[in-house]
Amino acid sequence: MKIAYISTYPPRECGLATFNQNLVNALSLNPTYDANKSFVVAMNESDDVNEHQYPNEVKFVIRQQNQQDYLEAADFINNSDVDTCIIEHEFGIYGGNSGVFLLSLINRLKKPFITILHTVLKEPNFMQQTIIKEIASKSAKLVVMSKKAVMFLTSIYQIPKVSIQLIEHGVPDLEPIVNNQIAQSELFRGKKVLFTFGLISRNKGLETVIKALPEIVAKHPDVLYMILGNTHPGVVKHNGEEYRDSLKALAKDLGVEKNIVFVNKFVSEEELHQYLTACCLYITPYLNEAQITSGTLSYAIGAGAAVISTPYWHAQELLADNRGKLFDFKDHHKLAAIVNDLLSDNDKYQELKKNAYEYGLNLRWPAIGSIYLNVLNEALSAEVKAQRTIPPIIDVEGMPALNLNHIALLTDDTGIIQHARFGIPNLKEGYCIDDNARALIMSLMAVEQDKNKRALALMPIYLSFIQYMQTEDGNFRNFLSFNRQYLDEVGSEDSFGRTIWALGYLVSSAPNNSYREFGRELFSHCIKHFKELKYLRGKANTIIGLSYYLNAHPGDELISQEINMLADALVASYRENKDGDWHWFEDILTYDNAILPLALLHHYEATGNKESYQVAMESIAFLNSFSFENGYLNPVGNAGWMKKHGENPIYDQQALETMAMVLLYAKTFEITKDDRYLNLMHMSYKWFLGENSLHIPLYDYETNGCADGLQFNSVNRNQGAESTLAYFISHLAILKSAEMEYETLSSPLLEANKIS
């Protein structure tokens, strides 16, 4: 058997990399395995394909945030001799929003494959759930490592149980060393060592063990708590060694600084096994239950260690039947009692170690590898699943690079300036909440897409502006002068709705809990105003915001009632104005038209309301009937609008209208999986780049701004916030689409990524 593996890989320091290498080694022990024709496709966190000195089995490197690489990797595998593939899945190792770039690879892959899920979320957002469902639909099997993961996949993701295979986490095939050098070292000699290992971060709960030490040391003064592992790279990047230093300070305050030691390094499996067999007790004091798989816990059981843990999901399963002891989250008194009991009662202690060791024999990699080989053989013998039709081409390489220079130029320490003269901010016009809400949406999308640092830095400015514009009763003003004077008492319903959209998106997709809580607080003050909305676009924008809020809080009955009330109003207006071949919500099409069916699709997505879906699809078909007559987008012009049974006036065309079309077709494709909408989305986006009635690009490659509109003989060369944000939101929506595929010509990138 010849296998291609898609994962991180050593020397990259990553748990998945170690797991994947162990799996490769385990399968290579089988005589039916062809090591010469098997290979690894390695995931790189940076754009430097030479960042790591990979071993010979790595034949291709994917740069995490370069979507083209995923397509080239699929072609590389398809053109190879391998029979099947194994994909290791963790949201964080693949590019795009929630690792969505992986979908372009699997949709292009022609070899049967299995996917190993290292994380299964109990409360996934819509994108995460969509990605897992798409992976499941293409995989011969989904492999998970706990019973809880199987339950989540069947009940939350609605994946058939027959598609899921439970295979426990493998552990090293090592026996305790007689002359263990770690046990004989000065650090261990004469000590009863409590041991924790792994990357250090606040969610590991190490302070719980330190708080337990005074009670433990009082009875066992020879106890030493050893923490082995580097601080998580992400923590170091943002906070340095703040957490590690706080642990040292805590130990000193409690008078146990001599009973704790940090070993700050990444160790090999062989050395780790020596630590595990030399220690007295292994402890995982994690702070919450939401950990479906723990490789460190599996390793400890495999080494026959006596284990104490908080009751996170994997620990509940792995430590059952007296293979370990559990204590409640943050309960350092209970932890101290268990430690003292085991250190004082050798019979209990030895029984725990014996049970762990015997169970661990079944987890050793040779045995686990044989199970994987059987699953792969089943995948090869099973009928090949039908592949989705390749959708229309979207050339990511041909798109302008994401450059937020003009956005940054328009933004000062108050907010984003609403207008510009050519590419220069027009300070006289001041600010509006409309544009700052859009700017917040754009920055959230950019951070989701590629962790864009510039967007992340701008985000608190837009958040602060929105807070400043909120009135005491929870409503919002719209306009602010350059000298920070309010220019209205209450803004329009449109501006209110767009702000709710931005806040809902923030609650759903914030990059940190602080921003999420901030957004939720602002959002909560607005709820009483939802019933006061009179106009369709204000209602539609609000519906979209509420749908995002429900992504994060699906059980919120009040918000569910509010979104249903607003959607019912849109549907009622549609029924009232529908007439013959006029399938629209009003007797005229004015501005931001696509927002109306888009809102109903969001309502359907959040609630499953089929009437909203039906009305949305009818109105979309109507919109399509006149928007692409010449093979490119002609959005409704604002010179008189489009009256009932009349003609589309075409000019002037606005970027905001095009953005709404892009978002509409992106959402329609996301829900229906119909490739026609992917094509319409792409055609709409290309309006910005020159595929329009004048064949003139509105996006300015020099300033990275977007013209304010398309006129009958030219473009409006001013580049204000509304149009520029409309472009970038559209650009990011293209990149975000979950099931998008690209058909590309041969590229020198293939050779750049190929490792001879």
Side-chain angles (χ1 to χ4, degrees), residues 429-448:
E429 300 292 338
Y431 318 84
C432 70
I433 201 169
D434 265 338
D435 290 335
N436 281 272
R438 292 189 194 98
L440 176 58
I441 292 169
M442 185 282 301
S443 59
L444 286 165
M445 293 175 73
V447 171
E448 278 186 321

Side-chain angles (χ1 to χ4, degrees), residues 54-285:
Y54 288 112
N56 291 334
E57 59 265 29
V58 175
K59 302 299 182 186
F60 197 96
V61 173
I62 295 176
R63 294 166 293 178
Q64 183 174 345
Q65 297 298 340
N66 192 315
Q67 192 164 18
Q68 178 73 15
D69 289 0
Y70 294 79
L71 305 172
E72 300 284 6
D75 291 341
F76 184 81
I77 295 169
N78 291 336
N79 294 327
S80 74
D81 293 330
V82 299
D83 304 302
T84 183
C85 304
I86 296 176
I87 298 175
E88 309 282 356
H89 183 267
E90 179 76 65
F91 289 108
I93 71 168
Y94 298 106
N97 181 9
S98 300
V100 71
F101 287 175
L102 177 63
L103 297 186
S104 59
L105 187 157
I106 66 174
N107 276 288
R108 198 179 182 92
L109 200 57
K110 297 178 181 178
K111 309 280 186 177
F113 64 92
I114 66 171
T115 304
I116 304 171
L117 301 181
H118 289 260
T119 296
V120 180
L121 299 173
K122 184 180 181 180
E123 297 179 349
N125 61 34
F126 180 79
M127 178 64 76
Q128 291 163 340
Q129 189 171 36
T130 299
I131 288 170
I132 295 299
K133 285 183 174 181
E134 181 71 7
I135 291 172
S137 72
K138 297 295 189 296
S139 301
K141 284 285 185 182
L142 287 183
V143 176
V144 294
M145 303 178 204
S146 68
K147 296 175 184 175
K148 183 77 75 172
V150 176
M151 184 188 76
F152 286 171
L153 288 177
T154 54
S155 62
I156 298 170
Y157 299 80
Q158 290 83 50
I159 295 171
K161 196 169 184 178
V162 69
S163 300
I164 306 167
Q165 179 77 40
L166 173 59
I167 305 177
E168 293 196 72
H169 196 296
V171 301
D173 187 25
L174 298 171
E175 291 292 333
I177 300 172
V178 176
N179 295 314
N180 189 329
Q181 294 181 355
I182 299 293
Q184 296 172 4
S185 67
E186 184 177 347
L187 198 58
F188 273 70
R189 195 179 306 126
K191 299 290 185 182
K192 295 173 181 174
V193 177
L194 314 181
F195 183 53
T196 298
F197 79 93
L199 292 174
I200 295 176
S201 60
R202 287 192 179 275
N203 64 331
K204 297 300 177 69
L206 303 177
E207 61 274 11
T208 305
V209 185
I210 296 173
K211 290 177 182 178
L213 283 178
E215 295 179 53
I216 298 170
V217 172
K219 291 189 175 183
H220 302 279
D222 54 350
V223 157
L224 177 71
Y225 180 38
M226 175 179 288
I227 300 171
L228 170 64
N230 296 321
T231 301
H232 193 286
V235 175
V236 172
K237 184 177 181 180
H238 295 288
N239 300 307
E241 293 291 354
E242 177 187 359
Y243 180 53
R244 187 187 295 266
D245 292 341
S246 73
L247 295 175
K248 292 177 180 178
L250 176 62
K252 186 175 182 179
D253 290 344
L254 295 174
V256 292
E257 68 270 23
K258 294 182 180 179
N259 299 89
I260 182 171
V261 63
F262 290 87
V263 180
N264 188 12
K265 66 177 183 177
F266 186 86
V267 298
S268 66
E269 282 192 346
E270 290 76 10
E271 189 176 357
L272 175 60
H273 194 266
Q274 291 186 53
Y275 276 100
L276 285 168
T277 53
C279 73
C280 287
L281 294 167
Y282 176 71
I283 304 174
T284 56

Side-chain angles (χ1 to χ4, degrees), residues 507-695:
V507 171
S508 176
S509 304
N512 58 56
N513 286 328
S514 176
Y515 290 0
R516 181 177 291 107
E517 290 168 10
F518 183 87
R520 190 174 182 184
E521 180 177 283
L522 297 183
F523 184 96
S524 65
H525 296 326
C526 308
I527 295 173
K528 61 184 176 182
H529 295 289
F530 297 165
K531 291 183 173 63
E532 301 168 3
L533 295 171
K534 299 177 181 179
Y535 300 107
L536 293 185
R537 283 158 185 79
K539 293 177 180 179
N541 282 287
T542 302
I543 287 170
I544 296 170
L546 298 186
S547 74
Y548 283 120
Y549 186 92
L550 287 173
N551 281 345
H553 303 284
D556 194 316
E557 293 184 6
L558 174 61
I559 299 304
S560 296
Q561 293 172 4
E562 296 290 342
I563 197 174
N564 288 335
M565 173 196 70
L566 294 170
D568 287 347
L570 260 66
V571 170
S573 184
Y574 176 85
R575 300 293 186 203
E576 181 180 346
N577 286 281
K578 180 181 176 182
D579 179 20
D581 60 356
W582 183 262
H583 293 180
W584 200 243
F585 303 83
E586 302 168 293
D587 60 359
I588 187 172
L589 282 95
T590 55
Y591 64 95
D592 221 2
N593 295 293
I595 291 296
L596 302 179
L598 174 62
L600 291 182
L601 288 180
H602 274 272
H603 179 241
Y604 166 75
E605 187 177 80
T607 67
N609 186 292
K610 293 182 179 178
E611 186 176 23
S612 286
Y613 177 80
Q614 178 188 354
V615 170
M617 297 307 290
E618 287 181 10
S619 56
I620 289 169
F622 173 69
L623 202 57
N624 295 348
S625 67
F626 59 83
S627 297
F628 299 93
E629 291 177 338
N630 297 309
Y632 46 77
L633 175 66
N634 268 321
V636 173
N638 65 5
W641 312 120
M642 180 175 171
K643 297 180 176 63
K644 192 171 187 177
H645 304 307
E647 297 292 325
N648 179 4
I650 300 183
Y651 297 109
D652 291 348
Q653 298 177 15
Q654 303 296 307
L656 191 65
E657 191 72 23
T658 299
M659 179 196 81
M661 300 286 272
V662 171
L663 295 179
L664 173 63
Y665 295 125
K667 180 58 66 179
T668 312
F669 175 68
E670 190 175 342
I671 291 173
T672 67
K673 305 298 188 295
D674 189 331
D675 293 345
R676 290 177 300 166
Y677 299 108
L678 186 63
N679 185 43
L680 292 173
M681 180 181 80
H682 188 214
M683 291 172 67
S684 299
Y685 167 74
K686 289 191 291 185
W687 177 90
F688 291 103
L689 304 183
E691 295 196 20
N692 49 55
S693 57
L694 293 185
H695 305 286

Side-chain angles (χ1 to χ4, degrees), residues 707-749:
D708 277 354
L710 190 70
Q711 301 165 337
F712 76 98
N713 63 350
S714 184
V715 296
N716 183 333
R717 291 280 290 132
N718 294 330
Q719 298 175 8
E722 178 182 293
S723 56
T724 299
L725 288 166
Y727 168 75
F728 281 112
I729 290 172
S730 301
H731 180 107
L732 289 161
I734 288 278
L735 298 178
K736 179 182 174 183
S737 292
E739 292 82 19
M740 194 177 304
E741 295 178 8
Y742 305 93
E743 186 173 305
T744 57
L745 299 173
S746 297
S747 166
L749 286 172

